[in-house]
Amino acid sequence: MFEQKQLDGSAIEKWKLLIAKDDQRAFRDLFNLFAERLTAFSYSITRNRDAASEVLDTVFIKLWKNRRSLADVQNLTIYLYAAVKNASLNYLARKANENQTQPFDFINIQLTHDELPDQKLISAEIFEKIKKAVDELPTRCKMIFKLVREDGLKYKEVARVLNISENTVDAQMVIAVKRIGASVRHYFDYFPGRFQKKQ
């Protein structure tokens, strides 16, 4: 229920090559695909909607300026998430005028509330139980869960974006699944199966 439409890697790869050749339409398509989810990711760090929009603009302006080197970017999705994370942390560092040595301690993730088709299949009561369980996850665990389930990133992509090991992502997802599953297990015996690891 938290999962967005999966990112199409082949389309992103095609846009990447077109953008490198000055294709503005491909650039707009890429922006439209990522804008909402990257803004939400930045907001989860900055807790400031204006700052999140500013971060998004900064990242995509830089992307366009450096478009000639896009062919050298191995994974554009990871590149964009990492760029947004870094720009968001830089924003906080500027505002606080100090180094942020514990980047996860002050982050308060809020999952989006967009109604998806499968949400209609479960009752509001069960949805609230799941949402409450997600909200009560430890902060880093919640961020990892969001990137995997809501933004559709693979474990290895989340690991690279957050500069942690893939095993850490796996362990945190196990924690998240167990806690969320426990809250609704008497409703859905199959619930944990919906959170299979993405290779």
Side-chain angles (χ1 to χ4, degrees), residues 78-140:
I78 291 175
Y79 175 89
L80 288 171
Y81 273 92
V84 167
K85 182 196 73 171
N86 292 335
S88 299
L89 292 176
N90 287 340
Y91 167 84
L92 290 177
R94 290 196 305 271
K95 292 297 180 181
N97 196 28
E98 63 183 17
N99 292 329
Q100 300 293 341
T101 57
Q102 299 296 331
F104 295 113
D105 290 349
F106 56 86
I107 298 173
N108 178 25
I109 301 299
Q110 287 188 345
L111 296 175
T112 59
H113 300 280
D114 296 337
E115 186 175 8
L116 298 175
D118 60 339
Q119 181 178 325
K120 299 175 182 179
L121 301 178
I122 62 176
S123 71
E125 177 184 357
I126 299 172
F127 176 74
E128 286 303 315
K129 286 183 180 293
I130 296 173
K131 180 179 178 298
K132 184 174 185 293
V134 172
D135 288 340
E136 291 175 352
L137 290 173
T139 303
R140 184 166 66 166

Side-chain angles (χ1 to χ4, degrees), residues 186-198:
H186 57 291
Y187 293 105
F188 298 110
D189 291 336
Y190 63 88
F191 182 82
R194 297 184 54 166
F195 294 83
Q196 295 290 335
K197 177 177 177 179
K198 297 181 182 181

Side-chain angles (χ1 to χ4, degrees), residues 1-4 111 116 127 130-131 134 145 149-150:
M1 60 186 295
F2 295 107
E3 188 172 2
Q4 290 186 359
L111 296 175
L116 298 175
F127 176 74
I130 296 173
K131 180 179 178 298
V134 172
F145 181 85
R149 300 313 308 170
E150 190 173 320

Side-chain angles (χ1 to χ4, degrees), residues 24-66:
Q24 294 184 15
R25 179 176 180 179
F27 181 75
R28 286 195 300 272
D29 288 340
L30 183 74
F31 178 86
N32 290 336
L33 176 66
F34 280 97
E36 183 177 354
R37 64 186 80 211
L38 288 178
T39 300
F41 181 49
S42 179
Y43 177 73
S44 74
I45 299 172
T46 63
R47 307 302 299 155
N48 183 306
R49 297 191 185 283
D50 291 336
S53 295
E54 178 184 328
V55 164
L56 182 73
D57 290 343
T58 299
V59 167
F60 272 89
I61 288 171
K62 183 178 180 180
L63 182 74
W64 180 253
K65 286 182 177 178
N66 298 323

